[in-house]
Amino acid sequence: MKKGIHPDYKEITVLMSDGTEITTRSTMDVKDGVYRSEVDSKNHPFYTKSNTFTSTAGRVDRFKRRYGKGDDK
């Protein structure tokens, strides 16, 4: 490998939003060696599925209003 073209690969600490700390190696340039994560798998709606049911129900209701489809068959 060529010298001088690769970034420094150093140990950093990742601090999750819930206080969990993970030590890993990275090329990230953080001043104090700690990366503070605001969003992770414990609080992101994609992983927690908190928004899925309400938005799906809203879409179904909007479809029924728009196209006049009722529950009667």
Side-chain angles (χ1 to χ4, degrees):
M1 294 192 335
K2 292 185 178 180
K3 302 277 185 210
I5 64 170
H6 300 286
D8 292 334
Y9 192 62
K10 56 190 171 278
E11 217 174 75
I12 66 166
T13 301
V14 179
L15 182 63
M16 301 294 204
S17 61
D18 66 346
T20 308
E21 290 185 4
I22 299 171
T23 303
T24 186
R25 294 181 54 86
S26 175
T27 59
M28 287 180 74
D29 187 25
V30 289
K31 295 182 181 172
D32 57 354
V34 177
Y35 173 74
R36 290 165 183 82
S37 173
E38 295 175 4
V39 178
D40 57 29
S41 62
K42 296 195 183 198
N43 65 359
H44 193 278
F46 178 78
Y47 297 104
T48 60
K49 306 282 192 230
S50 63
N51 254 358
T52 305
F53 298 113
T54 56
S55 64
T56 303
R59 289 181 195 159
V60 170
D61 292 335
R62 188 173 57 206
F63 177 82
K64 287 180 180 179
R65 277 195 315 257
R66 183 178 292 168
Y67 296 105
K69 303 287 182 185
D71 287 334
D72 52 24
K73 294 182 181 177

